[in-house]
Amino acid sequence: MTRLVAIGTEKGLFLATHDGGGWDVSPLHFTVKSVYAVAIDTRGGTPRILVGASSAHWGPSVAISSDLGKTWEEPDDPAIVFPEDTGAALERVWQLAPGPADRPEIVYAGTEPSALFRSEDGGRSFSLVRGLWEHPHRPTWEPGGGGQAIHTILPDPRDDGRMVVAMSTGGVYRTADGGESWTPGNAGIKAVHVPDPFPEYGQCVHKVARDNVDPDRFYAQVHHGVYRSDDGAASWTSIAEPLPGDFGFPIVAHPSKPGTIYNFPMIADMDRYPADHRCRVYRSTDAGKSWEPLSEGLPAEPFYPSVLRDAMCVDAGEPAGVYFGSKSGEVFASLDEGDSWTRVAAHLPAVLCVRAAAI
């Protein structure tokens, strides 16, 4: 088994592999392009790497590799374009998500401004999901600190007509009819930046993860809050109390163990440092009722960098791998589900996203 880790940074993409010895990190791909979105698509046998890269000169694009980064396919025409009648222009690709396991041609993209796109040719071209773009709430969605973007796309593994997306700001939205209509799913999530603490929508949701064993259970890290939903992302209850801080960006669910999740808590929105200034991942094995810090092999000295919303992930290896990268350019891996850690890379540009697969 080979562990493959794709590391998107402010200045390009790195690919790291582990075959049982140490980590081997590739030379830089997509030089001086910011890579906010990566997907490793293992449907159909041969892994495909999809990358959303942005050039300050040429703008955003989507590239695909079917040979683990040896070559890249990038269409002559942009893969993602807003229709002319929307009056919008693509600023950034924030998320790339494979669709149903039995439909390898389906890929989704979340963008800035907040929109959902669907591809039916493996990510080479995309079309706008009109139902969400034309939702009556959309004109009042506001940008969060990182921009106005859909950063979470969670297709239902049981029903390709059902999906959950999340955006900052705007909150969680759900569809049960293939994207024709959307319902906000934010009941119980507190909004700290608006007069009504529990609005129908408008929450600053940082990331949402689906439980990989119980598809109706979700976990969310929001702007000051960590939550669980047991009813398909319709309503939420807090699971933040045992944590040393309720602010943060990523939340990740174990690939095969129900109720096992990972989080990287920070102090506060105006004090954006790791809780207690220590490098620690927190793990819960009971769906957030209790949490334990994981730090064996992580830096013992004071640690100040942030871990961004898409800079933590898991793979489906046995045992599962857990990975995260920091804005200081360090990447860490645990090949025993978080019990111990090793450094994959250091001195990289700021890490924006990390995706992994066991191949």
Side-chain angles (χ1 to χ4, degrees), residues 344-355:
V344 175
H347 312 299
L348 303 182
V351 177
L352 305 175
C353 67
V354 179
R355 290 294 179 264

Side-chain angles (χ1 to χ4, degrees), residues 146-157:
Q148 185 188 17
I150 288 182
H151 51 65
T152 298
I153 303 171
L154 299 171
D156 192 315

